[in-house]
Amino acid sequence: MTSATFRFYGSLNDFLPNNRQQVSFTHNVGGRVSVKDVVESLGVPHPEVGLLLINSQSAPFSQLLRDGDYVSVYPTFGAFDVSAVSLVQPTPLAEVRFVLDVHLGTLATHLRLMGFDTLYRNDYADDELARISHNDHWILLTRDRGLLMRSLVEYGYFVRHTQPARQLIDVLQRFKLTEHIRPFTRCLACNGELTPVSKADVQDQLPPKVRAYRHQFWQCSHCNRVYWEGMHHQRMLQFVDDVRQALN
């Protein structure tokens, strides 16, 4: 039997029972086991971990626990970069792109509204989501802890909130995306990029009143859906402004 002491910091305490939050506690394991396996057995998905110290030394997930080890587990740091010392963080992504599980459809729409590359289908299986995230380096957003613990997943985040607008703010804060918001640049239906288009080129797709009274149009480069500033546009602008205010 191996006995080690664990201390989890910051947002990682969201995954722990009350009696293990913000305190050191002893945990017993049998046989030779990696620290990653133990951390996840305690409820914390590995993509949420930004720095792992064993006896004050940076350690990889694969390190085997020894009797008497003291394990400090830190979340991904937002304020400063620890990539030079962390042995658990994957290589930083050149581009932030998201793939979402089937339960986060409204969040997917909100992310597209804000201009972020967001892959979503309501029939993705968990195996497919993990494979897409791994093979194509998409950040997996989910409320399924088990999905996030799959070994294939390197880049992922457990969405804490259940209210979609709050979920959006949570994700934008976590990945420091405030300065990258580009509203109304992606198709809400398919995620394709929107480009300006002349009325003459799309007039056959317009309702009669829109054709008569609207003069600015955008078209999806993927599905050809046409957008214009309709009655709902002001509500969407207000939503974007509210999110920006919440991020300040």
Side-chain angles (χ1 to χ4, degrees):
M1 182 71 68
T2 297
S3 178
T5 301
F6 285 81
R7 174 69 158 87
F8 290 83
Y9 291 85
S11 60
L12 298 183
N13 285 277
D14 295 343
F15 301 104
L16 302 177
N18 290 338
N19 65 331
R20 289 183 166 179
Q21 293 178 9
Q22 311 294 347
V23 296
S24 299
F25 60 89
T26 300
H27 184 69
N28 297 322
V29 297
R32 292 165 55 83
V33 62
S34 72
V35 66
K36 174 180 178 290
D37 288 342
V38 179
V39 165
E40 293 202 315
S41 74
L42 292 170
V44 178
H46 67 272
E48 293 276 338
V49 178
L51 178 65
L52 187 63
L53 302 180
I54 298 181
N55 304 321
S56 301
Q57 299 295 315
S58 186
F61 280 130
S62 59
Q63 185 160 324
L64 299 179
L65 279 181
R66 297 175 301 178
D67 194 54
D69 278 345
Y70 189 98
V71 184
S72 303
V73 191
Y74 295 86
T76 300
F77 292 87
F80 53 95
D81 184 11
V82 297
S83 58
V85 295
S86 176
L87 299 179
V88 297
Q89 281 191 347
T91 303
L93 292 171
E95 181 183 3
V96 174
R97 305 184 301 170
F98 299 106
V99 57
L100 279 66
D101 75 19
V102 298
H103 304 292
L104 297 175
T106 303
L107 174 59
T109 300
H110 287 343
L111 284 167
R112 289 172 180 172
L113 173 63
M114 295 293 177
F116 296 103
D117 199 354
T118 304
L119 193 60
Y120 173 81
R121 283 204 334 244
N122 62 8
D123 60 351
Y124 276 137
D126 286 356
D127 287 347
E128 191 171 8
L129 287 166
R131 179 183 55 77
I132 291 169
S133 176
H134 175 77
N135 291 349
D136 301 322
H137 294 163
W138 295 74
I139 298 170
L140 176 60
L141 301 180
T142 181
R143 282 186 51 77
D144 182 343
R145 246 191 284 191
L147 173 56
L148 205 55
M149 289 182 183
R150 289 183 177 236
S151 58
L152 276 181
V153 179
E154 290 184 273
Y155 304 95
Y157 180 65
F158 182 83
V159 179
R160 268 63 165 177
H161 298 276
T162 57
Q163 203 278 332
R166 184 60 244 184
Q167 291 175 340
L168 174 65
I169 294 166
D170 185 23
V171 170
L172 297 181
Q173 288 175 330
R174 163 63 181 80
F175 294 98
K176 297 178 284 188
L177 296 174
T178 303
E179 302 302 319
H180 300 276
I181 294 174
R182 296 168 55 239
F184 310 110
T185 57
R186 287 197 173 270
C187 178
L188 302 184
C190 80
N191 191 47
E193 294 187 6
L194 301 183
T195 56
V197 64
S198 70
K199 182 190 289 189
D201 289 338
V202 296
Q203 60 181 347
D204 292 343
Q205 297 175 246
L206 306 176
K209 288 187 178 180
V210 172
R211 189 162 53 243
Y213 297 108
R214 300 293 176 183
H215 305 286
Q216 284 187 304
F217 300 93
W218 296 262
Q219 189 169 33
C220 175
S221 59
H222 183 260
C223 72
N224 296 323
R225 183 173 178 170
V226 179
Y227 290 82
W228 59 87
E229 295 181 359
M231 297 296 293
H232 59 286
H233 186 70
Q234 192 59 44
R235 293 196 301 273
M236 296 170 75
L237 281 173
Q238 185 60 57
F239 177 80
V240 172
D241 287 345
D242 289 344
V243 170
R244 288 187 189 275
Q245 287 294 322
L247 292 169
N248 290 335

